[in-house]
Amino acid sequence: MTKKLTIFIFSFLFLQTAFAQSKAWDRHATFGKGMNLSWLENYWNGTVENGFMDYLNMNSVASKHHDLEVMKEMGINTLRLPVCFDVWEDGEYPYEIDMPQYFMALDSILEWSEVLGFNVLIEYHHGSLAENNLEEETERIIAIWKQVVERYGDRDPEKVFFEIYNEAHDIEFSDWQNVLEIIVDSLRAFDEDQTFIVGGGDYNSVRGLSNLIPLEDDNIIYTFHYYEPFLFTHQGAEWVGAEVSTIGVPYPYIGSEMPDRNSLTDDTWGENAYNDYSKHGNLDTLRSWVADAKLWSEVNNRPVFCGEFGSYYKANDASRCRYTKAIRAIMECNDMPWCYWEWDQGFSLFDGAVPGLDGLSDCMLDAWEIPPRDTTQNNVLLNDPCRIYPNPTENILYVERTDLDVPMVLNICDPSGRLIRGMTLCVGLNEINISDLPTGIYGLLFLDMDGDRLFGRKLVKH
Ligand code: BGC
């Protein structure tokens, strides 16, 4: 091979890698804060006799408009919409959707979302794939998706996304890989523009993602779900079982607040998780587990986002707020958008209250960084591009930035101006542990990466 030809081939390969996925990267960059609106996947509201096909009461559609408006007020950009398409048809070839009226529910959500400016991820929830039905189930999933794509494939691809399958499990990684490639290839033939969202096996875990080989299709955003530490996030979750029956587990681990272990967890995974919680129930450990997803994204040059995280309502509110903040901080520092699970059911951020800003506890308002509202101006949100809170604080300080889309430096100084600590702040939410600083007043000095001063603030440490 001549030298010129070699250079040409290498340049071509380099450019291909550099530009691969650029559409998906650009769209991924618009996701921001997201919310799972669980509702259209609640098949259990149907009857067994009807194969759950009668699960959706169309009268429930209208109230969702208000929900979307509240989400907008909360600064949410992306709506993830789990749908149990699995029961929209009766399982008979050629798998034609028998409940076409259900599409009207989706139509309404899409119309309202368009007006409100949301991205919408239409997601295939509660599929029936298993090792023993791979071939026919794959065919069925494709047939169902084709009908969905036929209806929504001409929507704005910058706004409407198709998430192929939720939490594949009990399938070998290699089989899942195979099925996924078949589904994506078949659908791509019908839809050139829409970005598909796909995750790995093992319930969309980080491990599942790490075992996934990126698909050849270059218009894909990859996803994972994050519910670690499971002992905390799923405490008391009836559908999980005895392993998670210890209730009152705090986040982070606080020895004096730990409940006694429920004896139902004896000899189960839940006993070990309880014993390990002092090591695992903290930000650094959670961050280290997410690092594998980030690594996968970087090594493969593929955009990744966290499609579900959250905690069950049986955990205490203060812990749920701290957990929300911690996961947000991890994802945002890793440039991974996220969707909270979920709006108004068991993992709801409203903790049983009617969805609305008034239904959020103070700590949840804080965890969502819902900017202070001006009560004299009809509750208009006040826009502070760099929020620093709580202030005064004792242990943790949050700095949320939406001002510049580049890192900046924060120097913490004592009253005489002596530098105590310096760090780089990422765009989005930063969590800073200041528990080791003596009580007192500090100066917070924000600098750009060249060391030039941007602005300063005062911090009171209790
Ligand atoms: C499931 C929900 C469950 C949540 C947390 C979702 O993917 O569909 O039913 O509450 O994960 O476990």
Side-chain angles (χ1 to χ4, degrees):
M1 212 187 307
T2 65
K3 201 169 151 201
K4 269 189 186 158
L5 183 61
T6 317
I7 292 173
F8 174 76
I9 291 175
F10 274 110
S11 317
F12 177 73
L13 289 176
F14 172 76
L15 286 174
Q16 243 204 345
T17 317
F19 290 114
Q21 298 275 330
S22 65
K23 208 188 277 178
W25 275 111
D26 290 349
R27 293 176 181 167
H28 168 264
T30 70
F31 276 17
K33 292 182 188 175
M35 176 61 69
N36 279 282
L37 177 63
S38 23
W39 163 50
L40 294 177
E41 92 290 9
N42 289 178
Y43 70 87
W44 51 86
N45 292 330
T47 58
V48 182
E49 310 85 83
N50 289 309
F52 301 104
M53 288 173 80
D54 52 351
Y55 78 104
L56 184 62
N57 177 351
M58 294 300 287
N59 291 333
S60 61
V61 179
S63 67
K64 303 298 167 194
H65 186 219
H66 173 70
D67 289 330
L68 298 194
E69 285 180 328
V70 179
M71 288 182 203
K72 183 75 189 173
E73 259 190 290
M74 288 176 62
I76 286 168
N77 308 317
T78 297
L79 177 69
R80 183 170 180 264
L81 199 59
V83 186
C84 190
F85 289 119
D86 212 60
V87 297
W88 283 30
E89 59 83 33
D90 59 10
E92 297 291 322
Y93 185 84
Y95 313 120
E96 218 169 280
I97 287 177
D98 300 308
M99 310 301 283
Q101 71 275 27
Y102 288 178
F103 272 128
M104 283 152 65
L106 268 176
D107 293 348
S108 301
I109 296 291
L110 288 172
E111 300 307 328
W112 296 329
S113 298
E114 192 179 329
V115 174
L116 293 167
F118 290 132
N119 299 311
V120 183
L121 320 185
I122 300 177
E123 180 254 314
Y124 192 114
H125 214 80
H126 298 307
S128 311
L129 266 176
E131 267 315 334
N132 62 2
N133 66 11
L134 289 183
E135 217 171 298
E136 69 259 30
E137 222 13 64
T138 304
E139 192 188 354
R140 193 165 82 90
I141 294 169
I142 293 171
I144 294 174
W145 261 122
K146 274 186 188 161
Q147 296 170 72
V148 179
V149 168
E150 202 171 297
R151 190 159 179 119
Y152 300 119
D154 59 355
R155 297 272 168 159
D156 182 356
E158 303 297 331
K159 290 288 178 194
V160 176
F161 298 75
F162 299 140
E163 186 170 336
I164 301 299
Y165 195 86
N166 187 58
E167 299 192 347
H169 56 275
D170 299 324
I171 305 178
E172 295 284 331
F173 287 135
S174 55
D175 288 333
W176 171 238
Q177 178 90 34
N178 202 13
V179 164
L180 196 53
E181 284 171 6
I182 295 173
I183 301 177
V184 165
D185 287 350
S186 317
L187 296 184
R188 188 54 85 204
F190 288 85
D191 190 326
E192 281 179 20
D193 299 330
Q194 243 80 21
T195 298
F196 298 153
I197 297 180
V198 309
D202 185 34
Y203 294 91
N204 278 148
S205 63
V206 173
R207 194 170 81 92
L209 180 69
S210 303
N211 277 280
L212 191 70
I213 302 166
L215 307 193
E216 271 183 27
D217 191 292
D218 67 358
N219 188 7
I220 292 199
I221 293 176
Y222 292 80
T223 186
F224 69 101
H225 294 174
Y226 201 66
Y227 284 111
E228 301 297 345
F230 205 76
L231 180 83
F232 168 73
T233 62
H234 279 68
Q235 53 191 291
E238 298 76 6
W239 66 96
V240 177
E243 298 94 305
V244 293
S245 55
T246 304
I247 295 177
V249 177
Y251 178 81
Y253 169 82
I254 301 168
S256 59
E257 287 184 18
M258 277 302 276
D260 291 337
R261 184 175 60 78
N262 190 323
S263 58
L264 290 173
T265 64
D266 285 355
D267 302 324
T268 69
W269 157 93
E271 179 174 0
N272 298 336
Y274 178 95
N275 293 335
D276 287 343
Y277 194 62
S278 58
K279 282 182 277 162
H280 295 162
N282 60 71
L283 185 77
D284 285 344
T285 306
L286 298 187
R287 183 180 280 139
S288 71
W289 289 340
V290 171
D292 284 344
K294 179 67 177 169
L295 183 69
W296 188 94
S297 167
E298 281 177 347
V299 168
N300 295 302
N301 185 24
R302 296 297 194 278
V304 169
F305 99 110
C306 175
E308 288 186 18
F309 84 89
S311 55
Y312 200 40
Y313 76 96
K314 291 189 179 173
N316 74 54
D317 195 45
S319 288
R320 297 186 66 209
C321 296
R322 291 191 291 257
Y323 182 74
T324 304
K325 280 186 172 184
I327 302 301
R328 283 195 53 192
I330 295 172
M331 298 307 164
E332 290 173 17
C333 259
N334 277 312
D335 193 19
M336 292 183 193
W338 46 267
C339 279
Y340 185 81
W341 183 275
E342 65 193 316
W343 183 243
D344 61 356
Q345 297 184 19
F347 282 56
S348 171
L349 66 161
F350 298 103
D351 213 9
V354 176
L357 291 188
D358 296 341
L360 283 176
S361 62
D362 285 349
C363 78
M364 227 11 133
L365 276 169
D366 196 40
W368 277 81
E369 278 81 42
I370 293 175
R373 282 173 291 157
D374 184 345
T375 44
T376 63
Q377 297 271 332
N378 205 12
N379 282 339
V380 173
L381 298 180
L382 292 174
N383 223 356
D384 184 349
C386 184
R387 300 189 56 222
I388 299 162
Y389 58 93
N391 190 5
T393 184
E394 198 180 340
N395 295 317
I396 303 288
L397 177 70
Y398 293 93
V399 178
E400 188 190 28
R401 297 186 39 216
T402 52
D403 48 348
L404 298 173
D405 57 357
V406 290
M408 60 162 77
V409 170
L410 166 62
N411 284 344
I412 303 182
C413 308
D414 69 13
S416 66
R418 193 169 52 95
L419 178 66
I420 308 284
R421 216 151 106 195
M423 68 207 71
T424 303
L425 297 178
C426 63
V427 180
L429 183 67
N430 296 266
E431 182 183 287
I432 302 160
N433 189 331
I434 54 161
S435 53
D436 57 326
L437 295 186
T439 303
I441 295 179
Y442 293 86
L444 302 178
L445 195 56
F446 294 85
L447 312 166
D448 65 20
M449 297 305 280
D450 294 324
D452 291 328
R453 186 181 194 282
L454 294 170
F455 57 93
R457 298 273 174 92
K458 189 175 84 177
L459 170 73
V460 180
K461 158 81 169 78
H462 278 166

